[in-house]
Amino acid sequence: MTQRILLLSGYDAASHRRWREQLVTLLPGYHWQTLALPPRFFQWRIRGNPVSWLDEPCLQESWDLVIATSMVDLATLRGLHPSLANTPCLLYMHENQFAFPVSDQQWGRVEPQMVNLYSALAADAVVFNSTWNRDSFLQGVEGFLNKMPDAVPDGVMEKLRERSSVLPVPIEDRLFIDQPRPVNRACPHLLWNHRWEYDKGPDRLLALLEQLTERAMPFRISVVGEGFRSRPEAFDRIHRLYSGHIEHWGFLERRADYDRLLGRADIVLTTALHDFQGLAMLEAMAAGCLPLAPDRLAYREYVPPQCRYASVESDPAAEARAAADRLARLLEQPPVAEPPNPWRASRLAPRYQALIEQLMSKGQ
């Protein structure tokens, strides 16, 4: 009999949707059933998804494994549906609420942090998409519990560490090129391919472009990624000040168009203050781009040291100077592009299958 897996995505953002669809495609030997909620109304989603799914018939069925994303309130869900109480559960952490920077417009994150903590304690295994994600979660939980006045039991951190592991979101094999391509050293095509939000550092991108202009360094740039109704003012300034340098501006609806852009760019860059794995960077590196990234976050796990610039979070201008210096050195003597082969889907699929089989065997 085909084993049955229930896949739950509580806030089905683009990266979450891509991961779950890819997982189903990579492991077709199981019967998959998916429940997903739209990526809007964050505060309601992360706390209210068990209510939204309260009357879902499939939650009354028998499953061999439940896989839930980090936005799912897994503890409450298992409490409301006794049929899931003894079903093995895997929690996949695309991000963690302890490491998110908070803008002036956002509320405090205690409730979302508690959802992450309860879900991790309710899961049989907690899997993170990067070592940085795992470590920042564990550090955040430890700091959070240390602030509590009393009644924190011993051994919580040990339990979480024991059930935590790292297994990245895979990069499709089709994106990897066979031969590295030369970099246009005279006028490089820069690619900034991230969400158009404050935490991706658009003000730092603007500061970098100002540095390149001051130094009379020629460049072309494509600024792409998912935009929203409100966006940081830095984007408008970049578009106004550097229109003559822009190759492409805005979101690309068709995946094929985006893939072609990856194949034309020379250097993929990030200025992000938060990135739990960095799919956009990994995709572009697979497609042959040289990376340029700050020396922080998950970038240390796959961006070579010679492609990382000094991280100066407290001083965007100093960080922009460091990024411009690093770019100049890369163009002076470009290193051979190193594709992120350990992140290939074909290499990660067996690891996903082994973990799934191990968890399902516990429920038998």
Side-chain angles (χ1 to χ4, degrees):
M1 183 179 294
T2 303
Q3 291 170 303
R4 292 159 46 84
I5 301 177
L6 179 61
L7 182 52
L8 305 173
S9 182
Y11 191 87
D12 205 39
S15 59
H16 296 211
R17 182 174 67 254
R18 169 190 171 162
W19 169 80
R20 65 171 176 80
E21 290 176 348
Q22 189 178 36
L23 193 59
V24 172
T25 301
L26 286 174
L27 302 175
Y30 304 108
H31 170 82
W32 295 89
Q33 173 71 46
T34 300
L35 292 180
L37 293 169
R40 56 177 183 260
F41 313 127
F42 171 81
Q43 295 286 348
W44 162 237
R45 281 287 179 268
I46 195 165
R47 201 66 184 93
N49 55 80
V51 177
S52 298
W53 286 328
L54 188 63
D55 297 323
E56 283 288 344
C58 66
L59 292 175
Q60 309 302 325
E61 298 176 14
S62 175
W63 300 96
D64 296 292
L65 178 67
V66 172
I67 301 178
T69 63
S70 45
M71 297 296 187
V72 173
D73 186 349
L74 185 60
T76 300
L77 202 67
R78 295 186 88 173
L80 291 173
H81 300 278
S83 59
L84 301 181
N86 296 317
T87 303
C89 290
L90 184 159
L91 180 69
Y92 192 83
M93 301 288 287
H94 290 272
E95 68 286 298
N96 76 81
Q97 298 301 316
F98 293 91
F100 260 110
V102 180
S103 72
D104 294 338
Q105 290 75 38
Q106 290 177 301
W107 301 341
R109 305 196 77 90
V110 172
E111 279 278 319
Q113 288 172 352
M114 291 299 290
V115 170
N116 274 182
L117 174 57
Y118 288 154
S119 294
L121 290 171
D124 297 280
V126 186
V127 180
F128 296 82
N129 59 359
S130 71
T131 300
W132 183 81
N133 188 6
R134 180 196 63 190
D135 293 349
S136 62
F137 171 76
L138 293 173
Q139 291 165 8
V141 170
E142 187 167 29
F144 180 81
L145 293 179
N146 286 339
K147 295 177 183 177
M148 297 301 104
D150 63 7
V152 176
D154 295 331
V156 172
M157 295 309 304
E158 287 72 17
K159 289 179 182 178
L160 292 176
R161 289 190 183 97
E162 287 173 3
R163 67 187 61 172
S164 295
S165 62
V166 176
L167 193 50
V169 175
I171 305 301
E172 293 91 335
D173 285 34
R174 65 174 183 79
L175 291 175
F176 287 78
I177 63 171
D178 295 327
Q179 296 293 331
R181 61 177 182 271
V183 173
N184 184 336
R185 297 168 61 190
C187 186
H189 181 180
L190 309 179
L191 171 64
W192 191 94
N193 54 342
H194 310 280
R195 280 185 293 104
W196 288 26
E197 293 188 290
Y198 77 98
D199 58 303
K200 297 303 182 184
D203 57 326
R204 292 163 190 263
L205 172 62
L206 175 60
L208 171 58
L209 298 183
E210 290 171 345
Q211 276 291 311
L212 299 184
T213 303
E214 287 181 16
R215 301 177 189 207
M217 292 176 62
F219 67 91
R220 296 166 294 140
I221 189 166
S222 292
V223 179
V224 301
E226 187 178 7
F228 304 91
R229 282 178 295 180
S230 62
R231 67 189 191 193
E233 187 266 342
F235 288 106
D236 294 330
R237 292 189 62 193
I238 291 169
H239 190 260
R240 183 175 68 253
L241 295 172
Y242 299 101
S243 59
H245 296 264
I246 292 172
E247 287 283 311
H248 184 84
W249 184 264
F251 185 68
L252 286 163
E253 294 286 348
R254 297 179 65 248
R255 177 71 206 204
D257 293 336
Y258 179 63
D259 289 345
R260 278 192 289 272
L261 180 61
L262 295 182
R264 294 198 308 268
D266 295 300
I267 295 174
V268 60
L269 67 95
T270 176
T271 51
L273 293 167
H274 123 254
D275 208 345
F276 288 98
Q277 177 174 335
L279 283 174
M281 293 294 289
L282 285 160
E283 286 182 338
M285 290 172 66
C289 293
L290 281 177
L292 179 64
D295 188 22
R296 58 175 174 253
L297 309 172
Y299 304 133
R300 293 171 173 170
E301 298 171 40
Y302 54 83
V303 174
Q306 66 268 31
C307 297
R308 301 199 301 260
Y309 56 88
S311 172
V312 193
E313 293 189 39
S314 62
D315 191 340
E319 186 167 284
R321 291 192 294 271
D325 290 343
R326 179 61 69 184
L327 177 59
R329 289 195 291 273
L330 285 178
L331 294 176
E332 183 178 342
Q333 190 171 1
V336 176
E338 298 181 25
N341 285 312
W343 281 258
R344 280 181 181 264
S346 57
R347 294 195 182 185
L348 291 174
R351 292 177 57 191
Y352 271 98
Q353 179 144 20
L355 176 61
I356 286 172
E357 293 291 334
Q358 176 187 2
L359 286 170
M360 288 195 295
S361 68
K362 293 181 177 180
Q364 295 174 353

